[in-house]
Amino acid sequence: MKLESIEEYLQALNPDEIFYRQYYLAKRHEKEYATYIQSLNPEFIRQNNLIVPEIAYSFQPEQFGDESFFCIDSPQCIFLKKHDRYTPEFLHSHIFFEVIYVLKGTCRQSIQGQQVFMETGDVCLLSPGVKHTIACFDDDSLIINILIRRSTFKEVFFSFLRNDNILSSFFLTSLYTKHICEYIVFHTGYDLEIKRNLLEMYIEQLENKRYSERILNNMLMIYFAKILRGYEHNIILPAAVNKENIRGLAFIYYMKQHYKDITLEDMAREFHFTAPYTSAYIKKVTGYTYTQILQKLRLEHAESLLKNTNVSISRISEEIGYLNPEHFIRLFKRSYGISPNCFRQKWGNCQEDLLSAVSLTPK
């Protein structure tokens, strides 16, 4: 599909949007509304996962998991979808990150009870677990969602997280602290380059050619980089965001760069604090202890090595800073529920199944 036709494709109302528009218009006329609800087929509503609060046992999710949009055993990290216009507002959260981009028009969100109004070019990032609603009730507006798996984000975008900017700070607070930044909004206005980047990602997903997942991951990195380059200082943060928590991320940046051989005393000297104060400050701004964060960083790197290399378990243990392989194996099993060898074998089997499925897909 060509760039000039993708917006026309997205602008057309899909069957769900047509249904929701009828529902929305009927609800505005009290006399006709009861008759309209009685005319609906409850079985049709349930089978098509349509959100109609008046229909008993209809689709009314409170939280969306990865299984709603991603293949669980797939390494797929991102998924793009159009927000269905006229969808009734309903309070929900997700276990993944969500990017909401207003391609054209307007929409309104309620994020943890705070009203956020968005217009053309606005980009909103939502943290996992944040409760929100979204309202878009006209034919002309177009809202595109980018869903980013939390479970694979750290591995795929590890290099991005090592940069000191507002976006990496946003992701790091969700990944490594208990004091999350609920959302962040960038105002990009009528930036045609940002718009084109988003539409090209949508086309890449629709065409689903070989290496599409890797290409999409890199396209998203470029999309974020261009937003930062042009609009890093044109943002909205929640009124309650604690700037001290964001400043505290400097400790996590440092730990990510030196996790192999770092000590609490080394980090304290780097930031000109005492070791006890550094330890207490980390716990205060992240909700986790120094040891918990360090272990999390090391095991994440071990996970990546197990998935992508044939390096021995003892070498991986040494690579991430554990001189005793048995200690590493115990920690890994405690966190992942299986040993490093079993994890590697299970991941290899998943990849073989995925490759077989791709090879059997008709061209």
Side-chain angles (χ1 to χ4, degrees), residues 146-187:
I146 308 175
L147 315 180
I148 311 172
R149 289 178 84 167
R150 188 181 192 277
S151 56
T152 58
F153 184 92
K154 298 183 289 289
E155 178 185 350
V156 174
F157 300 111
F158 181 81
S159 60
F160 179 81
L161 293 175
R162 298 180 69 175
N163 298 315
D164 186 1
N165 58 63
I166 190 65
L167 264 183
S168 57
S169 295
F170 170 81
F171 288 117
L172 282 171
T173 55
S174 290
L175 294 169
Y176 295 105
T177 82
K178 295 181 180 179
H179 311 300
I180 67 170
C181 180
E182 295 163 352
Y183 70 90
I184 183 171
V185 177
F186 292 88
H187 297 302

Side-chain angles (χ1 to χ4, degrees), residues 298-327:
R298 286 176 169 177
L299 292 183
E300 284 171 359
H301 188 52
E303 179 184 344
S304 179
L305 292 172
L306 289 167
K307 287 179 177 180
N308 301 305
T309 74
N310 292 319
V311 175
S312 68
I313 302 301
S314 59
R315 182 58 189 274
I316 289 176
S317 178
E318 180 183 349
E319 179 67 23
I320 64 173
Y322 293 121
L323 299 180
N324 184 344
E326 294 300 322
H327 179 59

Side-chain angles (χ1 to χ4, degrees), residues 6 52 64:
I6 183 64
V52 183
F64 288 99

Side-chain angles (χ1 to χ4, degrees), residues 184-352:
I184 183 171
V185 177
F186 292 88
H187 297 302
T188 72
Y190 290 85
D191 190 317
L192 295 180
E193 187 176 16
I194 298 294
K195 177 180 178 179
R196 184 174 64 251
N197 289 156
L198 188 284
L199 293 176
E200 287 173 346
M201 278 193 281
Y202 209 104
I203 293 171
E204 183 65 37
Q205 177 176 279
L206 282 176
E207 294 182 342
N208 194 28
K209 296 179 180 179
R210 194 179 184 193
Y211 301 121
S212 184
E213 288 177 1
R214 294 183 182 180
I215 291 172
L216 276 171
N217 292 341
N218 283 286
M219 291 176 81
L220 183 61
M221 292 276 281
I222 293 171
Y223 181 71
F224 283 156
K226 288 185 176 179
I227 289 174
L228 285 170
R229 185 168 65 184
Y231 306 97
E232 186 169 12
H233 302 293
N234 192 5
I235 63 172
I236 295 176
L237 289 169
V241 70
N242 189 328
K243 300 298 191 299
E244 183 180 19
N245 292 342
I246 293 180
R247 287 196 299 270
L249 292 174
F251 289 100
I252 297 179
Y253 286 123
Y254 187 81
M255 292 173 74
K256 285 182 74 68
Q257 293 171 346
H258 304 280
Y259 62 85
K260 180 177 179 179
D261 52 10
I262 191 174
T263 67
L264 181 61
E265 289 71 21
D266 289 339
M267 191 160 68
R269 280 193 294 272
E270 175 70 20
F271 291 93
H272 308 289
F273 297 136
T274 65
Y277 178 85
T278 301
S279 178
Y281 187 77
I282 290 172
K283 180 65 185 294
K284 176 184 176 183
V285 300
T286 69
Y288 296 104
T289 66
Y290 163 82
T291 301
Q292 288 173 322
I293 295 175
L294 181 59
Q295 179 178 305
K296 187 177 178 70
L297 290 169
R298 286 176 169 177
L299 292 183
E300 284 171 359
H301 188 52
E303 179 184 344
S304 179
L305 292 172
L306 289 167
K307 287 179 177 180
N308 301 305
T309 74
N310 292 319
V311 175
S312 68
I313 302 301
S314 59
R315 182 58 189 274
I316 289 176
S317 178
E318 180 183 349
E319 179 67 23
I320 64 173
Y322 293 121
L323 299 180
N324 184 344
E326 294 300 322
H327 179 59
F328 160 62
I329 292 170
R330 283 194 300 271
L331 289 177
F332 190 93
K333 192 171 183 178
R334 188 185 306 160
S335 295
Y336 291 83
I338 56 177
S339 69
N341 270 325
C342 289
F343 179 89
R344 171 177 272 167
Q345 184 177 5
K346 183 179 178 181
W347 176 258
N349 290 337
C350 288
Q351 292 297 93
E352 288 177 8

Side-chain angles (χ1 to χ4, degrees), residues 43-62:
E43 193 59 31
F44 173 83
I45 301 297
R46 297 184 192 111
Q47 287 179 353
N48 289 275
N49 288 334
L50 294 169
I51 299 169
V52 183
E54 295 82 357
I55 302 295
Y57 307 111
S58 64
F59 186 58
Q60 297 179 42
E62 294 182 0

